[in-house]
């Protein structure tokens, strides 16, 4: 290789090395300037609640079962799902843990504990409610069994260091509420879930 060719090659290698150094330096500076995608946790902070509601919602109903007059045996009511309540906790940046939200909500409700509230991942349809067993003590008629859960919803803010976290929660109280209805007999209640169960199974008319 001639001296001139060697000199040209050395210049090209020097330029390539310098270009890599400039590119690496720019990348490092960009990385330093890039904001962190990790939001710092917020272990403390005061919760402020708004729009907290508690409402019984229909979850399961049985088909209409005809009971003969004088029949004192217990009747098995197979129930089917009407709606599934999915507990969820949503926050603006994910730095407030769901269990903290439920604990704060239980404190807001005063007489409930966090363990009594359904956490995200639980499912109202997972409850063991495949059937209900009821005795009507000899009363004849067409009967229906209905079940509901008490749903709690609310919005909140949490004062975290340097920012305010916004969020909302939907949960339900573990356990269920039952109602036995007789078709043709007005349930005489203002509770929407009972009237919904009657309408879905017995129809709208009463005597």
């Amino acid at each position: 290789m001639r001296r001139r060719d060697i000199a040209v090659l050395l210049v090209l290698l020097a330029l390539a090395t310098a270009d890599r150094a400039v590119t690496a330096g720019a990348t490092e500076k960009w990385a330093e300037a890039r904001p962190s995608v990790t939001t710092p946790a917020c272990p403390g902070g005061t919760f402020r609640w708004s729009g907290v509601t508690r409402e019984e919602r229909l979850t399961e109903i049985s088909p209409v079962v005809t009971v003969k007059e004088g029949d004192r045996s217990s009747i098995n009511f197979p129930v089917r799902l009407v709606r599934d309540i999915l507990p969820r906790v949503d926050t603006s940046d994910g730095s407030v843990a769901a269990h903290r939200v439920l604990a704060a909500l239980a404190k807001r409700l005063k007489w409930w504990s966090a363990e009594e509230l359904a956490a995200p991942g639980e499912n109202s349809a997972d409850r063991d409610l495949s059937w209900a067993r009821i005795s009507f003590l000899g009363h004849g008629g067409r009967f229906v069994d209905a079940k509901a859960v008490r749903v709690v919803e609310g919005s909140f803010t949490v004062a975290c260091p340097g920012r305010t976290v916004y969020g909302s929660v939907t949960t339900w109280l573990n356990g269920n509420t039952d109602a036995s209805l007789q078709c043709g007999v007005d349930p005489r209640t203002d509770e929407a879930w009972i009237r919904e169960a009657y309408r879905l199974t017995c129809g709208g008319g009463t005597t």
Side-chain angles (χ1 to χ4, degrees):
M1 182 179 292
R2 293 179 298 178
R3 292 182 179 179
R4 182 180 178 182
D5 293 335
I6 294 173
V8 171
L9 180 59
L10 290 175
V11 170
L12 292 175
L13 289 173
L15 290 174
T17 301
D19 182 64
R20 284 196 298 271
V22 171
T23 302
T27 301
E28 289 174 1
K29 289 181 180 180
W30 179 82
E32 291 174 359
R34 184 172 51 192
S36 173
V37 296
T38 302
T39 303
C42 179
T46 301
F47 278 78
R48 296 187 181 278
W49 291 93
S50 64
V52 178
T53 61
R54 287 166 283 184
E55 177 188 29
E56 301 282 354
R57 292 185 190 171
L58 179 67
T59 52
E60 293 94 8
I61 54 175
S62 75
V64 177
V65 175
T66 300
V67 180
K68 295 181 179 179
E69 190 73 29
D71 188 352
R72 293 181 174 274
S73 61
S74 297
I75 308 297
N76 289 338
F77 285 81
V79 296
R80 62 180 176 85
L81 189 68
V82 174
R83 65 173 54 86
D84 190 12
I85 311 299
L86 298 176
R88 59 183 297 165
V89 174
D90 297 308
T91 58
S92 56
D93 66 13
S95 63
V96 180
H99 69 84
R100 277 197 63 214
V101 175
L102 293 178
L105 179 58
K107 184 177 180 180
R108 168 70 169 76
L109 297 172
K110 295 182 179 179
W111 64 86
W112 289 352
S113 68
E115 290 72 23
E116 294 177 283
L117 299 175
E122 294 186 49
N123 190 317
S124 62
D126 292 338
R127 296 172 302 147
D128 185 16
L129 295 173
S130 57
W131 57 273
R133 188 175 181 85
I134 302 173
S135 175
F136 291 94
L137 303 177
H139 299 289
R142 299 170 63 242
F143 294 93
V144 170
D145 186 70
K147 299 180 184 298
V149 294
R150 178 169 293 184
V151 178
V152 184
E153 295 178 316
S155 300
F156 61 88
T157 61
V158 187
C160 296
R163 69 193 189 282
T164 299
V165 175
Y166 301 87
S168 62
V169 58
T170 297
T171 183
W172 43 272
L173 179 65
N174 287 311
N176 55 276
T177 305
D178 293 86
S180 294
L181 310 173
Q182 183 174 1
C183 293
V185 178
D186 192 329
R188 298 185 183 280
T189 179
D190 293 330
E191 293 196 57
W193 74 273
I194 294 179
R195 303 201 70 83
E196 180 186 10
Y198 186 95
R199 185 177 66 254
L200 291 175
T201 52
C202 299
T206 57
T207 57

